[in-house]
């Protein structure tokens, strides 16, 4: 026998912990269609019953205001799971049962897992589970998800309900003498007309009309416009009546009555308290320090810095391993494949691409681990609480700070994990604005570009420029966020109303599972797209190749240099080349010859780049880009920077016929730029600003698209950011030129 | 007994909710969290910039913005 059951509950009730305890590593993570809400499924077997457990998103209610709620409700209605295991925080019974009632009104069988019994006991709350079970007429099983206590008993109860397959009638709650008659009347009409009855119980539909539920009303308007209009009219009459007689709304009365129903149940000896309800617990004492007016912000700065350091400092070694591994692989490919496009494809297209994909994984892993730790312990909610006032002014959310800092709010981050860090943000508009602006921060890949330009033109003001760059990124991100929130993502602030959960010690297992799932999702889903795009970019930079004649010319020059050299030198060079020996000491003369050959190579690479698609784009754009002070070489470099910002440096090197310049050691290039015609400090400033704001690297774009749920936002960030950056760069360059800089 | 706005409560002060004058999404969120007439709330802190406010409700801690608290009327025992 097989059955699907759903796991539901308020956020912070221990739902993920229970899910992990039940399913262990046998989980599948995906997304609900069309939304970015995570969907987790796992399996559990008991007495020959195969249970497919679906972890619904944590919600407080089953309205249709957030994607989480819509997803949870649609799943219950459309997939009809055999039952819902509702994880209830025993220390918070009243508020949690509010959701239970909504499951029962929908006619879904419920088994309650009375979780956090240990916390309740510690707080002097005693709950009579049997009595609760009796009053609600459903199984109630005490559990401690953290230790796995009670999970067998819980699953026995689940199995019993699944096996009995007894259909249950939706719970009938009385909503008082104003609402009840209307509700019954509407319910009757709905039933008679068969209005949406395939999906919802009739009385429930009526109730949703009274509550003004957008989703149900939209469905109703489509299904039967006439009855829909009648229902709306009846609701409006009731609303007017309640407004004039009691100055209240139908939905308010309904909520009051539900809570009334709950307190009636709880009063029958279900909950006994020893000690004061509002006593200060350890958690409150921690808060008195950690959110204190002066200590709070300092502590928060330390924690945020700690997260940054954890993500980028500790992951340095694994990142180096990944880079080393792919570097070695590339070396092997270069040594064993014969020259030509295939070698270039494998070495520079595929291996570099795959290295690029996996190079981010340590960052993503450490970031998710750190953020999960903050989230599960309850501290992230405090960050949102303390910073809300600041970020709200820009249409953002207090927890936006995490995404900004990881993206490079402290210079040197990375937008890829930064964009993913917005997952903890539950307010949709605020989240979108955050993930679109986080890439303005100065990620580690932009820094070599800045370093190059600063070294070339602002050597004496290095520290000042670097500070200005950080301030500018923050100002830009916040102002653009504000701009987006009053234009393309406009809409009122999502209500902040939020629980500050008690501090809890997360379990290592929970953190690891969480981290791994999300990282794997990145590798699997984003990885393939990223690999494909990086091959495409490689092709753009390599094709079309130089015409045969031109290649032959370079070959001739090479041959000429070798021919001009004395015979023994030529022999020495050939010998060295055969052994591919780097370490071999060359004689002085041979060294000179080698330099000449390298110069020719570099010139050839420069010519090839100019001839490629990227080069042609760069040339074609010169007319426009001159407004910002960029010549075609800079343009090509910026096109290359779409692969990863530090590529700007190496591409600029190739374009200036210096060969591949190592972004970390760009001294030769900065000398060249400082002396190059057309370059002056103003050009550098314009380029710094452009690099900061233009299209995020494509890896970030892929992640933005995935996090936002549609490619449109990825495309938006490329186009909008580039236009913005160009406008700023032109402004700077033209104003500066006019002022004589 | 005085009826006043939730925003006006001072730290550590308790009151009983008399009415929630919000509908739509905000009203729903407020009610979901158990803020309905008859519930006792105690102000247990304010963020460093004095907004949002943290409340103790039914044994747990909740935070909302001052402009959201404006929709909630409470009765304070004198
Ligand atoms: N003391 C105690 N802590 C728990 C229990 N269940 C979960 N936790 C902890 O509560 C926190 C939140 O749990 P989580 O499963 O992430 O909650 P979710 O938001 O409902 O998924 C974690 O730090 C868990 O370790 C429990 O029964 N007792």
């Amino acid at each position: 026998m097989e059955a699907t059951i759903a796991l539901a509950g308020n956020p912070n009730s221990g739902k993920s912990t229970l899910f992990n305890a039940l399913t262990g590593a046998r989980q599948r993570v995906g997304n609900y269609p069309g939304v970015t809400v995570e969907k987790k499924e796992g399996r559990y077997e008991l007495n020959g019953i195969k249970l497919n457990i679906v972890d619904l998103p944590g919600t407080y209610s089953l309205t249709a205001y957030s994607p989480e709620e819509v997803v949870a409700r649609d799943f219950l209605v459309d997939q009809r799971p055999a039952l819902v295991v509702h994880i209830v925080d025993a220390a918070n019974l009243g508020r949690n049962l509010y959701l239970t009632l909504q499951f029962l009104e929908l006619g879904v069988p419920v088994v309650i897992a009375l979780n956090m019994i240990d916390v309740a006991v510690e707080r002097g709350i005693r709950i009579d589970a049997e009595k609760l079970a009796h009053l609600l007429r459903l199984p109630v099983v005490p559990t401690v998800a953290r230790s796995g206590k009670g999970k067998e008993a819980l699953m026995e109860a689940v199995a019993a309900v699944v096996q009995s397959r007894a259909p249950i009638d939706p719970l009938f709650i009385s909503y008082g003498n104003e609402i009840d008659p209307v509700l019954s009347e509407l319910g009757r009409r709905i039933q008679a007309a068969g209005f949406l009855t395939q999906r919802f119980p009739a009385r429930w539909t009526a109730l949703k009309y009274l509550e003004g539920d957008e989703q149900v009303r939209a469905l109703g308007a489509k299904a039967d416009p006439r009855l829909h209009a009648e229902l709306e009219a009846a609701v409006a009459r009731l609303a007017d009546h309640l407004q004039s007689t009691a100055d209240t709304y139908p939905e308010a009365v309904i909520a009051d009555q539900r809570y009334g129903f709950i307190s009636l149940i709880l009063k029958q000896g279900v909950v006994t308290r020893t000690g004061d309800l509002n006593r200060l617990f350890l958690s409150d004492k921690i808060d008195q320090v950690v959110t204190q007016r002066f200590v709070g912000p300092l502590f928060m700065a330390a924690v945020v810095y700690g997260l940054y350091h954890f993500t980028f400092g500790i992951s340095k070694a694994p990142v180096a391993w990944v880079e080393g591994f792919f570097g070695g692989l590339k070396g092997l490919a270069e040594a064993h494949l014969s020259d030509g496009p295939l070698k270039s494809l494998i070495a520079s297209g595929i291996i570099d691409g795959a290295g690029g994909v996996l190079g981010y994984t340590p960052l993503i892993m450490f970031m998710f681990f750190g953020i999960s730790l903050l989230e599960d312990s309850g501290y992230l909610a405090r960050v949102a609480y303390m910073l809300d006032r600041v970020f709200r002014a820009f249409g953002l959310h207090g927890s936006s700070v995490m995404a900004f800092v990881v993206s490079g709010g402290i210079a040197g981050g990375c937008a890829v994990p930064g964009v993913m860090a917005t997952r903890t943000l539950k307010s949709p508009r605020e989240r979108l604005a955050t993930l679109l602006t986080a890439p303005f921060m100065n990620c580690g890949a932009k820094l070599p570009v800045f370093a190059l330009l600063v070294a070339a033109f602002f050597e004496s003001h290095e520290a000042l420029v670097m500070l200005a760059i950080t301030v500018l990124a923050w100002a830009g991100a916040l102002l653009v966020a504000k701009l987006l929130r009053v234009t393309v993502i406009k809409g009122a602030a999502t209500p902040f109303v939020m629980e500050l959960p008690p501090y809890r010690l997360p379990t290592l297992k929970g953190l690891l599972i969480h981290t791994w799932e999300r990282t794997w999702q990145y590798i699997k889903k984003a990885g393939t797209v990223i690999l494909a795009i990086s091959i495409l970019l490689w092709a753009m930079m390599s094709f079309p190749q130089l015409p045969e004649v031109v290649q032959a010319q370079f070959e001739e020059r090479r041959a000429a240099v070798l021919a001009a050299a004395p015979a023994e030198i030529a022999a020495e060079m050939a010998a060295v080349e055969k052994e591919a020996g780097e370490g071999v000491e060359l004689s002085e003369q041979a060294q000179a010859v080698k330099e000449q050959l390298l110069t020719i190579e570099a010139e050839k690479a420069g010519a090839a780049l100019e001839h490629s698609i990227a080069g042609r784009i760069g040339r074609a754009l010169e007319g426009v880009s001159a407004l910002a002070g960029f010549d075609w070489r800079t343009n090509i470099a910026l096109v290359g920077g779409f692969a990863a910002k530090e590529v700007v440096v190496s591409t600029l090197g190739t374009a200036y016929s210096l060969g591949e310049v190592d972004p970390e050691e760009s001294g030769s290039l900065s000398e060249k730029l400082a002396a190059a015609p057309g370059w002056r400090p103003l050009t550098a400033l314009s380029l710094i600003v452009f690099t900061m704001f233009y299209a995020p690297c494509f890896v970030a774009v892929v992640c933005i698209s995935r996090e936002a749920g549609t490619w449109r936002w990825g495309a938006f960030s490329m186009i909008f950011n580039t236009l913005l950056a160009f406008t700023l760069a032109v402004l700077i360059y033209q104003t500066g030129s006019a002022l004589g800089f | 007994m005085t009826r006043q706005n939730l925003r006006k409560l001072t730290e550590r002060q308790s009151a009983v909710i008399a009415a929630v004058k919000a509908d739509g999404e905000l009203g729903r969120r407020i009610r979901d969290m158990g803020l309905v007439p008859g519930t006792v709330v105690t102000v247990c802190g304010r963020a460093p910039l004095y907004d949002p406010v943290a409340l103790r409700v039914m044994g747990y801690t909740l935070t909302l913005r001052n402009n959201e608290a404006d929709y909630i009327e409470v009765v304070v025992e004198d």
Side-chain angles (χ1 to χ4, degrees), chain A residues 20 25 47 98 104 114 273 280 303 364 377 384 409-410 426 448 454 457 482 508 679 697 702 709:
Chain A
N20 291 340
N47 307 339
Y98 189 71
L104 295 175
L114 199 56
R273 287 177 195 279
L280 285 183
V303 169
I364 291 172
S377 65
I410 298 174
K426 295 289 178 250
V454 168
F457 297 100
K482 181 72 192 168
L508 185 63
W679 278 92
C697 71
V702 170

Side-chain angles (χ1 to χ4, degrees), chain A residues 535-553:
Chain A
I535 292 173
L536 199 76
L537 281 176
W538 161 82
M540 270 179 66
M541 310 277 285
S542 320
F543 292 99
Q545 290 185 309
L546 283 176
E548 299 272 330
V549 238
V550 184
Q551 291 204 32
Q553 279 166 11

Side-chain angles (χ1 to χ4, degrees), chain A residues 63 247 388 392 496 498, chain B residues 21 28 51 61 63 65 68:
Chain A
T63 55
D247 189 21
D388 178 69
R392 188 207 323 166
F496 183 70
M498 177 181 79
Chain B
K21 299 281 180 196
R28 187 63 53 85
D51 184 15
T61 310
T63 161
R65 292 173 179 153
E68 294 167 342

Side-chain angles (χ1 to χ4, degrees), chain A residues 1 14 82 141 581 669 697 715:
Chain A
M1 184 179 177
V141 184
L669 181 57
C697 71

Side-chain angles (χ1 to χ4, degrees), chain A residues 9-18 55 58 87 115-119 143-147 375-377 504-507:
Chain A
N10 286 182
N12 309 308
S13 55
K15 203 162 58 64
S16 322
T17 311
L18 183 66
D55 185 25
I87 294 93
N115 196 33
M116 308 255 182
I117 281 290
D118 54 333
V119 180
T143 59
V144 178
R146 250 181 88 90
S147 63
E375 193 179 20
D376 287 0
S377 65
R504 293 197 177 109
L505 205 60
T507 60

Side-chain angles (χ1 to χ4, degrees), chain A residues 358-539:
Chain A
L358 294 179
Y360 290 101
T361 46
L363 296 184
I364 291 172
M365 261 161 73
F366 280 82
M367 182 278 296
F368 273 135
F369 189 89
I371 295 244
S372 303
L373 182 69
L374 296 182
E375 193 179 20
D376 287 0
S377 65
Y379 187 70
L380 200 57
R382 271 72 181 182
V383 172
Y385 166 68
M386 283 189 278
L387 283 177
D388 178 69
R389 190 68 199 84
V390 180
F391 281 86
R392 188 207 323 166
F394 300 99
L396 298 169
H397 189 272
S399 22
S400 302
V401 73
M402 292 299 171
F404 283 140
V405 167
V406 171
S407 293
I410 298 174
C414 174
V416 172
V419 161
M420 291 187 184
T422 59
R423 287 220 193 149
T424 49
L425 244 164
K426 295 289 178 250
S427 317
R429 291 182 292 269
E430 286 80 352
R431 174 165 186 266
L432 190 55
T434 307
L435 66 86
L436 288 175
T437 50
F440 292 145
M441 295 298 170
N442 294 315
C443 67
K446 290 181 194 172
L447 295 184
V449 186
F450 299 153
L452 166 75
L453 296 170
V454 168
F457 297 100
F458 309 106
E459 182 98 70
S460 45
H461 305 290
E462 192 172 329
L464 183 68
V465 176
M466 282 308 190
L467 177 69
I469 283 170
T470 299
V471 173
L472 186 63
W474 275 92
L478 293 176
L479 291 175
V480 171
K482 181 72 192 168
L483 177 73
L484 294 176
R485 287 288 279 114
V486 297
T487 55
V488 282
I489 329 176
K490 65 166 165 281
T494 310
F496 183 70
V497 186
M498 177 181 79
E499 182 179 0
L500 290 178
Y503 289 105
R504 293 197 177 109
L505 205 60
T507 60
L508 185 63
K509 180 181 162 195
L511 293 177
L512 290 178
I513 290 183
H514 208 83
T515 305
W516 172 245
E517 278 167 3
R518 290 176 169 184
T519 310
W520 177 237
Q521 240 188 331
Y522 159 80
I523 297 176
K524 208 172 55 172
K525 295 276 173 55
T528 37
V529 183
I530 292 169
L531 185 57
I533 298 181
S534 71
I535 292 173
L536 199 76
L537 281 176
W538 161 82

Side-chain angles (χ1 to χ4, degrees), chain A residues 558-571:
Chain A
R558 223 180 108 83
V561 170
L562 281 176
E568 73 266 19
I569 301 284

